[in-house]
Amino acid sequence: MLLPALLASVSDHGLEVADTLIQVGRFLVIFLAARAMAELMVRLQLPTILGELVAGVLIGISGLHLLVPAEHAAQLSGFLVQLVAVLAGVGTDQVRESYTQSFAGLEQISNLGLYALLFLTGLESELDELVAVGGQAISVAVTGVVLPFALGLAGLMLIFQQPLVLAIFAGASMTATSIGITASVFAELGVLRQREGQIVIGAAVLDDILGIVILAVVVALASGEALSLTPILKLLLAAAAFVALALWLSRTAAPLFDRLIDQLKAPGELVVAGFVVLSLCCFGAQAIGLEAALGAFAAGLILSGSRYTKAIQESVQPLVALFATVFFVLIGTRMDLSVLNPFEPANRPGLLLAAFLLLVAIAGKLAAGWSYLSREPSNRLLVGLGMMPRGEVGLIFLGLGSEAGLLTPSMEAAILLMVIGTTFLAPLLLRLVLPRTSGDAPSTNASLRPSKSEEHTSELQSPCNLVCRLLLEKK
């Protein structure tokens, strides 16, 4: 009786070791690859987010297979699986099973990175400026949704003879903008607080809302349900109410937050209180049918008027540097570049469709930059390029279409290539455009480091140095 129990205990310990090795090994691979590529991009004067996306491609299903989505666990590097199996003393099948079961935890951490990034974006947004460009943001958002959708739908049906539902889905996949990618690039290149940056952020938030509505319509059509206007109108009203409430709280809640912080004495009160507000807003947004990411941005906007805004930013930035990296690397790991091979006959229909979708996806968002009126000089190309990346939003559309069995292999490849193209082209083109408009801006990493003057001021104002100065003055 003791021997089986002992063997079971040893086996359980081996699985725990394997699970730990897998989880720690993932972070090791992610951060080493991301930092190496980010350093390369900085030296090439390109946004670091591009390096993180490339790092994901290199270690993902298109590269070394060191980190692959759970549904592709069978493609995980054999060497890596064997290494973990030997070190943990378990079988390779158990390693793959442990990898699959624990992958959801990594995705949750990556979502935390996205929420922290959007929270920081909201904190850094100028509320008055965001409200001032509200009409322009609405114009950009609506144009950036309607134009790609209409052109894509018409072209796919008239030129490529695609079925209606499939054409609607492909057109819908081009409508949304990845606010996470845009916010990261704009912050790094120093244009987030400029008028154009605020227009793009406002439009991207509205795009997110419109994308949810379109997605609800597409899912209903794909499932064969009768299309009803009632749930769509409810969703639009919920979104309007949520945005209005967030704007009202941004004017009224900051003083209450400040008084609460003044009463807290335990260390870490700012980051914990900030994340409580973040969690509440994410919960509220998700509960009424919106995306949690929208709630994260709203949380930052609510606290943007606080006296502690700068301190909150400084406490959140290290979390963004860590967890947003995981988010962007995971986007790269999901990109299968094998569909780019033109010598594979099965890829050719998808490449033709992809060329059309990519052209429409780029042209539609660029045109949105010229869709608003402005009395002041405005860099419309910057606005159009900022709306271009689809990123994780496009991948969500693609995943839903694949799960529903709605997409043909060629259309699935075409949408994936459109997402890859817009995601990688946007940071590159923004970096080419910005030196001619706003000059070189310090990188995000540089912004995390205090300047020499800040270090000197901090040193003079520390309690120990103040006491020493007082004692010296008395002498």
Side-chain angles (χ1 to χ4, degrees):
M1 294 294 292
L2 291 176
L3 183 59
L6 182 61
L7 291 175
S9 176
V10 171
S11 177
D12 289 342
H13 177 70
L15 290 175
E16 290 177 4
V17 172
D19 194 49
T20 302
L21 290 174
I22 289 169
Q23 294 185 41
V24 175
R26 281 177 183 144
F27 288 116
L28 186 63
V29 169
I30 288 172
F31 290 128
L32 285 178
R35 292 316 306 168
M37 296 308 302
E39 290 294 331
L40 176 62
M41 293 300 155
V42 168
R43 283 156 177 75
L44 295 176
Q45 296 188 339
L46 294 172
T48 55
I49 182 181
L50 196 59
E52 292 168 354
L53 292 169
V54 171
V57 172
L58 291 177
I59 65 176
I61 58 176
S62 294
L64 301 175
H65 294 256
L66 299 176
L67 183 68
V68 298
E71 61 270 21
H72 296 286
Q75 301 180 32
L76 191 63
S77 168
F79 169 76
L80 191 61
V81 172
Q82 192 64 43
L83 177 63
V84 173
V86 170
L87 292 175
V90 297
T92 55
D93 290 340
Q94 291 174 304
V95 172
R96 293 185 190 277
E97 183 180 357
S98 177
Y99 179 92
T100 302
Q101 292 176 349
S102 61
F103 195 82
L106 184 65
E107 291 178 318
Q108 291 171 355
I109 291 173
S110 76
N111 286 335
L112 177 61
L114 173 63
Y115 301 154
L117 173 62
L118 296 181
F119 179 56
L120 186 61
T121 302
L123 286 170
E124 294 177 349
S125 295
E126 296 289 345
L127 180 60
D128 292 335
E129 182 65 23
L130 199 59
V131 172
V133 301
Q136 296 167 332
I138 291 173
S139 178
V140 171
V142 172
T143 305
V145 167
V146 172
L147 203 56
F149 179 78
L151 291 176
L153 177 63
L156 289 171
M157 291 186 67
L158 298 177
I159 301 174
F160 293 94
Q161 304 298 311
Q162 296 293 323
L164 176 61
V165 174
L166 185 58
I168 289 175
F169 187 90
S173 70
M174 295 186 288
T175 57
T177 296
S178 172
I179 185 174
I181 292 175
T182 296
S184 179
V185 175
F186 273 26
E188 183 172 347
L189 298 180
V191 296
L192 187 61
R193 294 189 178 185
Q194 293 183 12
R195 188 173 184 83
E196 292 85 353
Q198 294 297 290
I199 291 173
V200 171
I201 293 301
V205 169
L206 294 173
D207 262 11
D208 195 4
I209 296 171
L210 293 173
I212 295 167
V213 174
I214 293 172
L215 187 59
V217 174
V218 170
V219 169
L221 289 173
S223 60
E225 298 176 4
L227 188 60
S228 174
L229 290 178
T230 303
I232 295 175
L233 290 176
K234 286 182 178 179
L235 194 58
L236 287 172
L237 288 174
F242 184 83
V243 172
L245 180 62
L247 291 174
W248 179 74
L249 287 174
S250 64
R251 300 286 190 187
T252 59
L256 296 175
F257 179 83
D258 291 343
R259 285 200 291 271
L260 173 64
I261 295 299
D262 290 339
Q263 301 301 317
L264 299 178
K265 303 300 180 185
E269 72 279 7
L270 280 174
V271 66
V272 173
F275 264 76
V276 167
V277 176
L278 168 64
S279 301
L280 285 172
C281 290
C282 289
F283 182 89
Q286 196 75 57
I288 63 174
L290 302 177
E291 285 293 325
L294 177 60
F297 177 77
L301 201 60
I302 289 170
L303 297 183
S304 62
S306 168
R307 287 187 286 109
Y308 295 97
T309 298
K310 185 174 177 58
I312 298 172
Q313 290 174 3
E314 292 173 351
S315 64
V316 171
Q317 280 174 335
L319 300 176
V320 173
L322 278 174
F323 300 133
T325 296
V326 177
F327 174 75
F328 292 122
V329 169
L330 283 190
I331 290 178
T333 61
R334 295 180 183 276
M335 294 182 174
D336 185 2
L337 301 187
S338 64
V339 296
L340 288 170
N341 182 10
F343 298 106
E344 182 65 40
N347 289 345
R348 290 168 190 166
L351 289 173
L352 289 174
L353 282 171
F356 171 75
L357 292 183
L358 185 60
L359 179 63
V360 170
I362 293 174
K365 292 297 185 181
L366 285 179
W370 275 264
S371 67
Y372 64 93
L373 300 176
S374 177
R375 295 179 181 178
E376 303 174 4
S378 183
N379 189 338
R380 297 177 182 275
L381 180 59
L382 177 62
V383 173
L385 290 175
M387 297 296 293
M388 186 191 299
R390 272 46 172 203
E392 77 286 353
V393 182
L395 292 176
I396 289 171
F397 269 87
L398 180 60
L400 289 172
S402 299
E403 289 175 6
L406 187 64
L407 302 177
T408 62
S410 59
M411 184 60 76
E412 189 171 343
I415 294 176
L416 176 61
L417 288 174
M418 180 273 295
V419 172
I420 292 172
T422 56
T423 301
F424 278 87
L425 278 175
L428 280 171
L429 294 176
L430 282 169
R431 190 63 183 87
L432 292 174
V433 168
L434 283 171
R436 295 194 296 271
T437 60
S438 61
D440 292 337
S443 69
T444 303
N445 290 338
S447 69
L448 297 180
R449 303 189 189 100
S451 64
K452 293 295 183 182
S453 61
E454 288 174 336
E455 289 177 355
H456 180 65
T457 303
S458 176
E459 180 182 353
L460 290 177
Q461 292 179 349
S462 66
C464 181
N465 284 319
L466 284 173
V467 172
C468 291
R469 288 175 62 198
L470 289 171
L471 290 173
L472 288 171
E473 287 174 3
K474 287 183 179 180
K475 289 182 178 182

